[in-house]
Amino acid sequence: MYEDIIEEVMKEVLHRLWYENTSMQKTALLVLSDGRHPLSEVITKEYNLLIPDTDGSKKTEELYSMVSCAEVILITSVTVKQLINLALLCGEGYLEEAIRYALLLGKRIFVLEEGLEYRSYKATANKTFYRRLLEYEESLRQYGIIFTSESIFPFSEKQVKQTLLRKQQDDSKGITSFTKAAFDGIEEQVELKKKLILEKDLMNLNVKSQAAICIEKDSIITPSALDYARAHHMRFIKM
């Protein structure tokens, strides 16, 4: 009888030790969400989740502590108001507070594109207003925040580093990381099928500012063309 009890106790101890050891090996992921976009089972199993209390009862110091402990931060949903606040680095909500502090600490921040509220209004929104929201999204990208889909969200340290490396390479080449969903929201889209893109090529397109220029994957953009594109708020999209 006692042997059976001892055996059961040992099993429970070993199970707890295994669980704690496994949790310690997982990457700490801080999840910032209003609950409208539940996490997939894969993410909940892969990461050691940190989920703050969003009802406003927790002190700022506690939220900052969770941001400090997190190795990766994932924002699963962003309202229009939150997007504007994040882009302008203002607002007093828990999300805005957390992201401002995370940017100061140089944390890796990801946003699920499925959770961007404004994109669901693309068909009805005022075009000028929608374009401005696209610019706010681009501001977050310039802060180093990466937009991704839950289906391809990095699930390992290696994948996180590869994602960051691809972003740095695109930034150095003047290529924005717009996804097709955001790209479809831009009014003017022009194809430029050339291997070497010069400043005069962009001038000859005779397009409005903030146009999306679709180029080939192996196209090379000259520095003068990049300067012209930046001055006219053009975005290169490698197709």
Side-chain angles (χ1 to χ4, degrees):
M1 177 180 177
Y2 291 113
E3 288 82 357
D4 293 339
I5 295 176
I6 293 173
E7 185 177 351
E8 289 301 318
V9 170
M10 288 299 298
K11 285 182 180 180
E12 181 63 22
V13 170
L14 290 173
H15 174 75
R16 287 177 180 270
L17 288 173
W18 174 85
Y19 178 79
E20 291 175 2
N21 185 52
T22 303
S23 298
M24 290 175 62
Q25 292 176 356
K26 292 181 179 179
T27 299
L29 174 68
L30 174 60
V31 180
L32 301 174
S33 171
D34 59 7
R36 291 181 303 158
H37 190 92
L39 290 176
S40 69
E41 186 178 352
V42 176
I43 291 181
T44 58
K45 286 184 177 180
E46 183 70 22
Y47 289 97
N48 183 19
L49 300 184
L50 303 173
I51 303 178
D53 184 1
T54 61
D55 63 5
S57 62
K58 283 209 169 187
K59 296 180 181 179
T60 302
E61 290 78 5
E62 294 181 67
L63 179 61
Y64 282 8
S65 177
M66 297 185 80
V67 173
S68 299
C69 292
E71 298 172 69
V72 182
I73 296 172
L74 176 65
I75 307 173
T76 64
S77 59
V78 181
T79 65
V80 171
K81 182 179 180 180
Q82 288 172 333
L83 175 65
I84 296 172
N85 285 343
L86 288 172
L88 299 178
L89 297 176
C90 63
E92 301 302 323
Y94 85 97
L95 178 65
E96 292 91 332
E97 287 278 0
I99 296 306
R100 284 198 295 268
Y101 189 55
L103 289 172
L104 287 173
L105 296 180
K107 295 290 183 176
R108 294 172 295 191
I109 307 170
F110 294 83
V111 175
L112 291 186
E113 293 172 333
E114 300 94 315
L116 289 170
E117 179 189 46
Y118 86 91
R119 289 191 184 179
S120 63
Y121 294 98
K122 184 180 69 174
T124 59
N126 173 279
K127 290 184 177 180
T128 302
F129 181 54
Y130 192 87
R131 187 188 298 275
R132 179 58 58 87
L133 293 176
L134 276 172
E135 292 174 357
Y136 286 142
E137 181 181 329
E138 181 64 15
S139 295
L140 299 190
R141 297 176 190 274
Q142 291 173 2
Y143 296 153
I145 297 175
I146 299 174
F147 288 74
T148 185
S149 172
E150 186 168 3
S151 61
I152 60 172
F153 179 68
F155 295 119
S156 69
E157 186 69 16
K158 181 179 179 181
Q159 287 172 303
V160 170
K161 290 180 179 179
Q162 288 175 341
T163 301
L164 293 172
L165 179 60
R166 283 197 300 271
K167 181 185 182 301
Q168 291 170 356
Q169 291 173 339
D170 286 346
D171 288 345
S172 66
K173 296 175 184 176
I175 310 301
T176 66
S177 52
F178 262 102
T179 61
K180 190 176 186 303
F183 171 61
D184 288 342
I186 301 174
E187 185 175 353
E188 189 165 10
Q189 306 164 12
V190 181
E191 287 191 9
L192 184 57
K193 294 184 177 180
K194 288 192 64 181
K195 297 296 183 184
L196 181 64
I197 298 175
L198 309 174
E199 180 182 12
K200 66 177 182 179
D201 295 323
L202 300 180
M203 297 174 65
N204 292 336
L205 290 176
N206 192 27
V207 296
K208 299 177 183 178
S209 292
Q210 300 182 344
I213 313 300
C214 307
I215 61 177
E216 297 177 354
K217 290 183 179 180
D218 55 350
S219 293
I220 299 174
I221 309 170
T222 62
S224 59
L226 280 174
D227 290 340
Y228 182 88
R230 292 192 186 100
H232 292 79
H233 305 288
M234 295 178 176
R235 298 179 175 89
F236 292 107
I237 311 294
K238 286 200 170 184
M239 307 298 283

